[in-house]
Amino acid sequence: MSDSVIELQNVWKIFGDNSTEAMRAIETRGLGKPEVLEEFGCVVGIADCSFSVERGEIFCVMGLSGSGKSTMVRHLNRLIEPTAGKISVLGKDMLSLSASALRDMRARHLGMVFQHMALLPHRTVRDNVGFPLQIRGEPKSTRWEVSQKCLSMVNLDGYEDRFPRELSGGMQQRVGLARALASDPEVLLMDEPFSALDPLIRRQLQEQFMSLSAELNKTTVFITHDLDEAIRIGNRIAIMKDGRIVQIGTPEQIVTNPADDYVRDFVDGISKLKLVFARSIMEDINTYQPASGENLQHSPRASHGTDLDQLIDISTTTDQAIVIQSDDGVDIGVINKTTLLKGIQGGKA
Ligand code: ADP
């Protein structure tokens, strides 16, 4: 059964004074982003966006600068009001919440991490992390206890009494993450949280975040302009262009079946070796034509979830085709050298 934590239905954001008229013209005359700008002086921020995010999922939103990623994520905690559409988070209709219910929702259930975390410069790391709890009126003892626990989660034990300026950029982002975790929100909204960091530090934080997210079972919407990052950490990825979602899929689906040239341009630079699996390139065993003298009885077996990298390893140890098996150990497909090379080349047979 699906367990959606976030649902967006046909959400639009038109920036500008004439947004209502612009929206009407889009509906009745199907105007595009350039025409809306020319005729109404309005900017289409996001256009007809719909998706849902399951509990525990890391849902990445990826696209070029200006494609609408930040506008999208700011709708989820209603920092931005949509021009049209429906937004539900944790079963609540976000657009009908009163001001106080919205404040409560943000303080208790939605954590946000930005690219440049605005840490409070005159407060210690401990007090920065405990700040959301202070706003909620929690006593100092609780704040210190939670703050200690969250700093430990992001490997910052021992830095409690430092000030933000004494920490590196990567450490400051970790303080930001600890602060977002302090109120133990079910949902994390992360807008390019690691984009300003050096590649090595960035990689470490991605890995740390993934294991934390799995351990704490958070539901995350993660914005990035980097497909590599989206593929590494996302369970699913939504790709945005000019305010629209052009494709939603798992990393494997996006890489093997890019929806259009825009997505294909991103995918071209990505190594497919760990992303494409035997099941998507194998030939059906029932229609496979063995070469003369080929006997699949002698072939090595591999699971349908074996990735290209592992298939290459197997292939280098044998002249036989590889027989692919289902989870139940039934022979279902065949990958010979030609199929494998085509898979490496294009991600598809
Ligand atoms: P991204 O996060 O992908 O870089 P944004 O969500 O910031 O993209 O922007 C999407 C579009 O909306 C862009 O064309 C941008 O110029 C426009 N936009 C964003 N915020 C505003 C605003 N406050 N007023 C007018 N236009 C805006």
Side-chain angles (χ1 to χ4, degrees), residues 15-16 33 43-45 63-72 191 223:
F15 291 105
K33 186 164 171 156
V43 177
V44 178
L64 294 176
S65 174
S67 58
K69 307 180 295 295
S70 295
T71 304
M72 164 88 83
D191 191 355
I223 306 295

Side-chain angles (χ1 to χ4, degrees), residues 58 76 100 126 157-158 163 244 262 264 292 308 336 340:
I58 301 180
L76 302 180
S100 69
R126 176 188 279 119
D157 288 299
F163 287 92
R244 289 188 181 271
Y262 175 77
R264 201 166 294 116
S292 74
L308 287 180
N336 62 19
L340 182 56

